[in-house]
Amino acid sequence: MEDRRILRAEEKTEDLESDIALIAQEFREGFQAVDQIDRPAVTVFGSARVGEDTPVYRDARLAGQRFAELGWAVVTGGGPGVMEAANRGAKDGGGLSVGFNIQLPYEQAPNPYLDISLTFKHFYARKTMFVKAAEGFVVFPGGFGTVDELFEALTLIQTGKVFHFPVILYGTDYFGELLGWIKGELLDDGMISPDDLELLHVTDDLDEVVSLVLDCYERRCAESPAAPVKADAQ
């Protein structure tokens, strides 16, 4: 894969000029795709591996529908599972459905419920668009990719790289041990500050998911700077 070659330590800048140009073009195309979103948007994350008959799929679809019915766009990674469910719900609700997909050797192909679709080669360009498009993140159960997206968002907010916006975990049972580790290890060991816990919300209530995102948007909390960059940010 292209990234394997680019990320090899022995590859020198002069050997990567064409790659640098392609990466810049990918960012440009991503920004242009975000420009097509003509309404506030929420980004939904979650596993590509959940089936249509699962409660997680059902709830992600309902979440997408509720946001769409309120005039919001729904942005996902554009693939199957939770991503498909949220995009499908957006279509159910008559809203705008957006998918930022990624080229992988397995697992991920664009789902059929997309109004705006763009496939990326590089994760870093793709993840930038998730943040740029969003007024909030809703995180459903998922694997490494979902957790990566979650912690990148928290780090960007914590360090003041982006304005504050809500990050909501859906599923207290699923995320309970993760939250326990954050509180019992990171907080107790002084790796994060008590106010960093306020960056996260966890719920099993879809109404609360929607209200948290809409309330922040209506109060324009995303236009207020996040906490100042802190010495303990990393």
Side-chain angles (χ1 to χ4, degrees):
M1 294 175 66
E2 182 178 314
D3 278 340
R4 292 178 183 172
R5 178 179 54 79
I6 292 173
L7 296 174
R8 289 170 56 191
E10 57 267 31
E11 290 290 322
K12 304 303 181 185
T13 303
E14 57 267 26
D15 300 321
L16 297 174
E17 291 298 338
S18 62
D19 298 291
I20 293 168
L22 288 172
I23 291 167
Q25 179 61 26
E26 189 164 68
F27 272 97
R28 178 181 296 277
E29 291 172 357
F31 291 138
Q32 290 171 339
V34 172
D35 284 346
Q36 296 177 51
I37 302 173
D38 60 357
R39 63 201 74 182
V42 62
T43 297
V44 177
F45 298 112
S47 174
R49 303 185 185 190
V50 300
E52 185 176 354
D53 58 346
T54 62
V56 172
Y57 187 104
R58 178 200 65 209
D59 289 349
R61 183 176 177 181
L62 282 172
Q65 180 178 346
R66 292 187 186 182
F67 277 108
E69 289 172 346
L70 291 167
W72 282 56
V74 175
V75 179
T76 78
V82 166
M83 296 171 281
E84 175 186 295
N87 289 132
R88 186 176 180 180
K91 298 293 282 184
D92 292 340
L96 183 67
S97 178
V98 182
F100 294 135
N101 212 324
I102 185 74
Q103 287 185 4
L104 293 176
Y106 56 88
E107 190 176 88
Q108 187 130 317
N111 70 64
Y113 303 103
L114 302 174
D115 299 307
I116 298 172
S117 178
L118 183 64
T119 298
F120 291 83
K121 292 183 178 179
H122 305 98
F123 276 107
Y124 34 87
R126 178 186 186 230
K127 290 195 290 183
T128 297
M129 305 313 146
F130 289 147
V131 176
K132 183 168 177 60
E135 301 289 347
F137 279 4
V138 179
V139 184
F140 282 83
F144 288 154
T146 300
V147 174
D148 170 49
E149 290 150 351
L150 164 64
F151 278 101
E152 178 160 336
L154 293 175
T155 302
L156 290 171
I157 298 168
Q158 183 202 47
T159 56
K161 292 292 187 180
V162 298
F163 291 129
H164 182 78
F165 60 89
V167 179
I168 304 160
L169 305 180
Y170 184 78
T172 54
D173 286 344
Y174 189 85
F175 289 108
E177 290 188 11
L178 175 62
L179 290 172
W181 174 75
I182 290 172
K183 294 176 181 178
E185 300 294 337
L186 300 186
L187 181 60
D188 286 355
D189 290 348
M191 304 299 180
I192 61 173
S193 300
D195 58 336
D196 290 328
L197 294 177
E198 297 176 7
L199 300 178
L200 271 174
H201 306 273
V202 61
T203 183
D204 294 312
D205 185 344
L206 287 177
D207 290 335
E208 185 178 10
V209 169
V210 174
S211 66
L212 283 167
V213 175
L214 266 63
D215 178 65
C216 180
Y217 179 73
E218 290 166 358
R219 290 188 291 108
R220 305 309 304 166
C221 64
E223 293 182 356
S224 302
V229 177
K230 297 175 289 185
D232 64 351
Q234 300 301 321

